[in-house]
């Protein structure tokens, strides 16, 4: 069965791209098609601006693209809840070197679920846990 995962990436995206340290500040999402433990291909999705739907706008865009899981190094409590509500399973990729490494770890079942205590801000930031103390001036 084919699965589509999203990996927040630095530009230009793709399998050799670095994983963005935080979902909400990535330059592009690398969408990876995986079937039976094999990477079949990739595509790119430019995230919508934060000001149109806040941190949940990328969640909606990924859900519309058919993404089943997101593999990330960081996110706030609000998008974490948004992903769970959208049926997109979040996974933690702290030790992955690049998108290819993250995709292979996901395919092997080697990534832990993204637990609420890993989220930055923990829902206590002025933005409702979107990005915690991260700056939105970019």
């Amino acid at each position: 069965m084919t699965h589509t995962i999203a990996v927040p990436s630095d530009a230009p995206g793709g399998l050799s791209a670095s994983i963005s340290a935080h979902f909400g500040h990535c330059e592009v999402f690398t969408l990876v098609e995986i079937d039976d433990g094999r990477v079949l291909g990739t595509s790119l999705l430019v995230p919508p601006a934060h000001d149109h739907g806040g941190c949940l706008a990328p969640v909606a865009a990924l859900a519309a693209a058919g993404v089943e899981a997101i593999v990330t190094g960081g996110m706030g409590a609000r998008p974490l809840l948004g992903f769970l509500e959208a049926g997109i399973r979040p996974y933690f990729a702290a030790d992955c070197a690049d998108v290819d490494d993250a995709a292979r770890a996901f395919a092997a079942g080697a990534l832990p679920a993204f637990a609420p205590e890993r989220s930055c801000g923990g829902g206590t930031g002025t933005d409702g846990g979107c990005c915690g103390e991260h700056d939105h001036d970019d």
Side-chain angles (χ1 to χ4, degrees):
M1 173 179 243
T2 303
H3 299 283
T4 302
I5 67 168
V7 184
S9 312
D10 294 338
L15 291 175
S16 62
S18 296
I19 298 172
S20 180
H22 192 283
F23 136 85
H25 295 278
C26 75
E27 297 170 311
V28 65
F29 289 104
T30 300
L31 306 184
V32 184
E33 297 290 325
I34 297 174
D35 186 30
D36 196 28
R38 295 177 298 128
V39 173
L40 300 179
T42 63
S43 59
L44 302 176
L45 177 70
V46 176
H50 252 55
D51 56 345
H52 299 292
C55 292
L56 297 182
V59 174
L62 292 170
V67 169
E68 300 168 58
I70 183 162
V71 176
T72 184
M75 76 172 76
R78 194 165 81 192
L80 176 60
L81 181 59
F83 280 120
L84 294 171
E85 289 176 352
I88 298 173
R89 296 175 320 273
Y91 292 90
F92 189 58
D95 296 328
C96 296
D98 56 21
V99 173
D100 185 54
D101 191 30
R104 292 181 189 285
F106 174 85
L111 297 176
F114 197 101
E117 57 270 12
R118 293 188 195 274
S119 63
C120 60
T124 61
T126 58
D127 56 7
C130 172
C131 302
E133 68 274 357
H134 296 280
D135 186 6
H136 276 268
D137 293 336
D138 50 345

